[in-house]
């Protein structure tokens, strides 16, 4: 198991928190309730990583009937999810920084709240 993946997850989560905070402050839309909800979601993501570590460690001693690299899958999913959020935040901070080809896939950057 590659525990370095946890470091990448933590950095992506941190970068999302920083860019989200900057985007909210820049748009004068700071809302502590939204921040609290976001932190709750981030905590849930980190608990999923802990769950993945636990399952993979336990699979050495407990037969779950399948051998799935759940830890890596969870870390990959969280990193991809955070990348999307970071791109949205960067687009809010500076709309010109995100190319139109990428913006078309992000409703929030096209004025649609999805």
């Amino acid at each position: 198991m590659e525990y370095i993946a946890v470091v990448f997850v933590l950095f992506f989560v941190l970068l999302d928190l920083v860019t989200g905070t900057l985007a909210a402050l820049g748009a004068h839309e700071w809302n502590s309730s939204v921040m609290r909800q976001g932190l709750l979601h981030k905590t849930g993501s980190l608990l999923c990583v802990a769950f993945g570590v636990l399952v993979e460690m336990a699979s050495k001693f407990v037969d779950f009937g399948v051998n799935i690299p759940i830890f890596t899958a969870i870390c990959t999913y969280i990193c991809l999810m955070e990348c999307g959020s970071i791109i949205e935040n960067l687009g809010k901070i500076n709309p010109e920084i995100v190319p139109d080809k990428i913006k078309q896939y992000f409703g929030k950057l096209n004025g649609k709240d999805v």
Side-chain angles (χ1 to χ4, degrees):
M1 182 170 10
E2 295 291 328
Y3 290 108
I4 190 72
V6 174
V7 174
F8 285 109
V9 167
L10 292 173
F11 276 118
F12 277 110
V13 167
L14 181 63
L15 187 58
D16 184 41
L17 284 170
V18 169
T19 58
T21 300
L22 289 174
L25 290 173
H28 304 288
E29 296 176 349
W30 177 261
N31 185 326
S32 62
S33 300
V34 173
M35 179 68 155
R36 194 169 25 259
Q37 190 65 35
L39 289 173
L40 184 63
H41 288 174
K42 301 295 180 210
T43 302
S45 294
L46 296 177
L47 288 172
C48 283
V49 172
F51 171 71
V53 169
L54 182 64
V55 167
E56 289 213 7
M57 291 177 75
S59 69
K60 295 175 184 173
F61 307 101
V62 178
D63 183 14
F64 290 113
V66 292
N67 188 11
I68 300 172
I70 191 169
F71 167 76
T72 304
I74 289 170
C75 289
T76 301
Y77 173 76
I78 292 170
C79 287
L80 289 172
M81 182 177 61
E82 295 298 335
C83 283
S85 183
I86 291 165
I87 290 169
E88 285 178 351
N89 293 336
L90 291 172
K92 291 175 187 174
I93 293 169
N94 180 356
E96 291 89 35
I97 203 167
V98 180
D100 289 336
K101 288 282 188 186
I102 294 176
K103 280 183 188 178
Q104 68 186 2
Y105 297 104
F106 292 87
K108 287 185 180 181
L109 296 180
N110 287 321
K112 301 174 190 169
D113 193 18
V114 288

